[in-house]
Amino acid sequence: MKDLITDERVLQVLRGYNKWWETSKVPDDFAKPVKRFAYYDAKQSFEHTTIRRHVILTGPRRVGKSTIMYQTIQDVLDAGVQSKNILYVSFDHPLLKVSEIDRILKVFINNVALNESIYLFLDEIQYAHDWNGWLKAIYDNNPLYRVMATGSASPALSEKMPESGVGRWVQIRIPTLSFYEYLELRGIEVPTIDEKIKPTALSELSQKELVGLMGRLQLLERHFHRYLLIGGFPEIAQTDDLSYAQRIIREDVVDKVLKRDMVSLFNVRHIDELERIFLYLCMTTGNIVEVTTISNNMDITRPTVLKYLDFLELANITYMGYPVNMDGKKVLKAKPKVYLADAAIRNAVLLQGEEVLQDPDQMGMIVESAVYKHINTFYYNFNPKIGYYRDSNSQKEIDIVVMMPNSKILIEIKYRENPKIRETEAIVDWSKKDGLTAASLLITKNAGDYGLLDHAPIMRIPAFAFLYLLGHAEKARFKKPQ
């Protein structure tokens, strides 16, 4: 096989990928005009003038990692870098996948590159042999090189990061589109809002200001359910064909993770077991996972269930939120809540159409998954503990808790008509208990269901408004003037 892979064949493939060697421009279909928040995060690390780091973008399949890479290539071209000093490689290509990185680099340097100021863009790097060793060698031996890479399967990336990556590369996670980004991508007109407004500080607004804000946001409510059904995968999010969108999510996201990544990268042999566990997680998203129950009901060993749960999270298709310690009592780390990486994955796998919108129990799970994903994404760089609270005696819960070093945020989701919150609920007790609670939020369904509760310092806010305002605050944090 290796005898058939000549330098000429490698160079031919590289020329096909790197059109800018001749045109000095990335094709418009690749460097799309709308930029994700994560693009600005990656750009900051990639272009940093004093702290040199390789940048590795991780996230689910079809989430736009390659698009961010192409947009960065166009930025490099616009900055005046010679086009033949920029190399893009996709290790998803059969020929490049079986070629050593050093050979690909030698072909490029000997036949194309003009000098040693090289920009390397390595797509799906987890398929490259000894990728971490080569990134380490490139960083240590080539100080003029700048490197950006992507990986859909972070299990391989996460395992290698501690070995070679400390001080050499930074990992940036790319989630599916937030509700804010979804609206932006679809070109939906959004209200003008003061950048200082934060969704966790709405209690600081006067009643008049709050009413005005919610009135402006109400126009976005009708787009929220479509977002939950179509999902946050950029290419898919632009269609209105729900059945087509769900088919692409099943085939291009879920099936490729379960049947390809897990097999080729992690040597998973019993795909049927993994599929059954994932189906169960889709049906119960946002609920506490009892590993022993899964093991007994599916006749799968407990260690195997735990291993698969870890694989699914590291493959960026689920999140796991563990119980947090708020009262000094021991918490059971073995019982996580598992959330899907995007709310639309559940509907796609379970083949549910718009009828799910009329089911309050299922919508409660779907919205909680969406809220958790947004919270996890928003606070990711702050490295907090994000999980749930359950009192070991009373079994009272708080759906989502964000534990910061000096404060915490409490979130309860009641996505139904006329939600009631009783004095005895855990979030009421904890919102009054101490001064460390930065915000207590009750996420509601209807546009008119907002404002402070009468009996507790808890702010009610509709789900669509909360998620939009999180995205608005994230944009203010990441996006810089052009």
Side-chain angles (χ1 to χ4, degrees):
M1 177 66 180
K2 288 189 176 181
D3 293 338
L4 297 175
I5 303 174
T6 63
D7 288 356
E8 289 74 18
R9 287 180 185 269
V10 172
L11 184 59
Q12 184 179 17
V13 173
L14 295 180
R15 288 191 185 281
Y17 278 125
N18 294 266
K19 301 294 187 184
W20 48 87
W21 289 350
E22 303 301 327
T23 65
S24 296
K25 185 179 186 302
V26 179
D28 291 339
D29 287 346
F30 294 165
K32 295 180 170 60
V34 176
K35 294 180 169 66
R36 302 280 313 271
F37 297 151
Y39 156 84
Y40 297 97
D41 202 7
K43 180 181 177 71
Q44 182 181 40
S45 296
F46 187 72
E47 296 180 351
H48 206 286
T49 55
T50 58
I51 303 175
R52 173 174 162 259
R53 292 287 186 274
H54 297 336
V55 174
I56 299 182
L57 310 177
T58 67
R61 289 185 171 276
R62 304 295 293 250
V63 83
K65 299 184 298 295
S66 298
T67 296
I68 292 174
M69 185 176 280
Y70 282 123
Q71 290 169 333
T72 305
I73 293 172
Q74 188 59 56
D75 288 345
V76 172
L77 289 167
D78 291 342
V81 172
Q82 293 170 302
S83 62
K84 291 187 176 181
N85 275 5
I86 303 170
L87 174 65
Y88 169 90
V89 179
S90 173
F91 291 102
D92 232 2
H93 190 284
L95 187 144
L96 299 181
K97 187 183 295 187
V98 297
S99 301
E100 299 288 342
I101 291 180
D102 64 329
R103 185 193 187 171
I104 295 171
L105 287 178
K106 284 178 182 176
V107 170
F108 170 66
I109 291 168
N110 292 337
N111 294 279
V112 181
L114 302 176
N115 55 50
E116 295 181 355
S117 296
I118 302 297
Y119 288 76
L120 297 179
F121 295 87
L122 310 174
D123 217 351
E124 298 293 0
I125 197 172
Q126 76 271 7
Y127 290 115
H129 175 66
D130 193 28
W131 66 265
N132 62 307
W134 278 109
L135 283 191
K136 178 180 182 296
I138 290 169
Y139 184 92
D140 293 343
N141 301 322
N142 303 94
L144 296 181
Y145 282 33
R146 291 278 178 172
V147 178
M148 180 178 286
T150 76
S152 295
S154 345
L157 302 179
S158 297
E159 288 173 3
K160 302 296 184 182
M161 287 284 284
E163 298 175 21
S164 306
V166 175
R168 293 185 177 91
W169 56 79
V170 60
Q171 187 173 199
I172 295 176
R173 190 173 63 187
I174 316 297
T176 61
L177 295 168
S178 67
F179 182 44
Y180 187 102
E181 290 177 308
Y182 168 85
L183 295 170
E184 186 175 47
L185 184 70
R186 289 185 61 107
I188 294 167
E189 187 175 351
V190 296
T192 301
I193 297 173
D194 191 325
E195 285 191 356
K196 296 178 181 178
I197 290 178
K198 292 185 170 46
T200 55
L202 295 181
S203 59
E204 298 175 6
L205 301 179
S206 68
Q207 182 63 19
K208 181 180 179 180
E209 289 171 329
L210 184 61
V211 170
L213 173 64
M214 292 301 165
R216 294 196 298 278
L217 293 179
Q218 189 170 352
L219 296 172
L220 306 178
E221 183 181 20
R222 62 191 179 92
H223 301 287
F224 182 55
H225 286 161
R226 178 59 47 171
Y227 166 71
L228 295 177
L229 293 174
I230 292 290
F233 297 93
E235 183 182 4
I236 304 169
Q238 298 180 71
T239 184
D240 287 317
D241 187 336
L242 178 58
S243 62
Y244 174 75
Q246 292 186 335
R247 193 187 97 195
I248 297 300
I249 290 173
R250 289 194 304 273
E251 294 176 357
D252 283 13
V253 180
V254 176
D255 284 354
K256 284 187 177 178
V257 168
L258 300 184
K259 298 176 181 178
R260 177 181 172 183
D261 292 340
M262 294 297 181
V263 174
S264 62
L265 294 172
F266 314 110
N267 203 31
V268 173
R269 292 292 172 239
H270 299 289
I271 300 301
D272 60 321
E273 293 181 347
L274 184 62
E275 287 183 310
R276 280 187 285 146
I277 289 174
F278 186 67
L279 179 62
Y280 174 82
L281 297 178
C282 288
M283 295 173 67
T284 60
T285 180
N287 288 316
I288 295 173
V289 171
E290 299 280 357
V291 173
T292 302
T293 301
I294 297 176
S295 175
N296 293 338
N297 290 344
M298 297 190 184
D299 195 24
I300 303 171
T301 66
R302 196 172 187 278
T304 299
V305 174
L306 289 169
K307 179 178 68 174
Y308 286 164
L309 289 177
D310 286 339
F311 279 178
L312 289 168
E313 182 183 34
L314 290 170
N316 297 297
I317 202 166
T318 63
Y319 297 100
M320 286 202 285
Y322 289 95
V324 299
N325 186 341
M326 296 207 306
D327 51 15
K329 298 176 183 178
K330 185 178 180 180
V331 296
L332 298 175
K333 193 170 184 178
K335 294 185 177 181
K337 280 188 176 184
V338 178
Y339 298 93
L340 298 175
D342 192 90
I345 293 174
R346 181 184 191 274
N347 299 323
V349 171
L350 300 181
L351 297 175
Q352 293 180 315
E354 294 189 8
E355 70 277 1
V356 74
L357 299 176
Q358 309 307 318
D359 188 321
D361 292 332
Q362 294 196 61
M363 285 302 293
M365 290 192 289
I366 292 168
V367 170
E368 184 172 337
S369 274
V371 171
Y372 187 91
K373 191 281 293 266
H374 280 69
I375 288 287
N376 194 289
T377 299
F378 184 82
Y379 289 103
Y380 178 67
N381 289 333
F382 296 91
N383 198 30
K385 291 181 180 177
I386 304 176
Y388 68 95
Y389 168 76
R390 171 178 270 194
D391 184 274
S392 57
N393 295 321
S394 67
Q395 301 300 299
K396 293 177 182 177
E397 283 188 25
I398 300 175
D399 290 332
I400 299 173
V401 178
V402 182
M403 297 290 288
M404 306 290 278
N406 299 311
S407 65
K408 56 182 176 283
I409 298 168
L410 314 177
I411 301 172
E412 188 75 15
I413 293 101
K414 291 189 182 293
Y415 195 79
R416 61 179 72 106
E417 299 292 335
N418 303 313
K420 304 296 182 184
I421 188 158
R422 299 180 299 276
E423 282 276 7
T424 55
E425 294 195 37
I427 191 171
V428 174
D429 185 32
W430 278 98
S431 67
K432 298 176 179 180
K433 185 167 285 190
D434 57 37
L436 296 179
T437 301
S440 295
L441 303 172
L442 176 62
I443 308 301
T444 61
K445 177 181 179 181
N446 294 323
D449 197 354
Y450 63 86
L452 277 172
L453 292 179
D454 294 332
H455 58 281
I458 299 173
M459 175 62 73
R460 293 172 297 141
I461 178 171
F464 75 89
F466 176 65
L467 298 190
Y468 179 81
L469 289 175
L470 264 184
H472 181 265
E474 191 174 8
K475 179 176 182 178
R477 187 173 75 208
F478 281 131
K479 192 167 185 178
K480 297 180 179 179
Q482 300 299 295

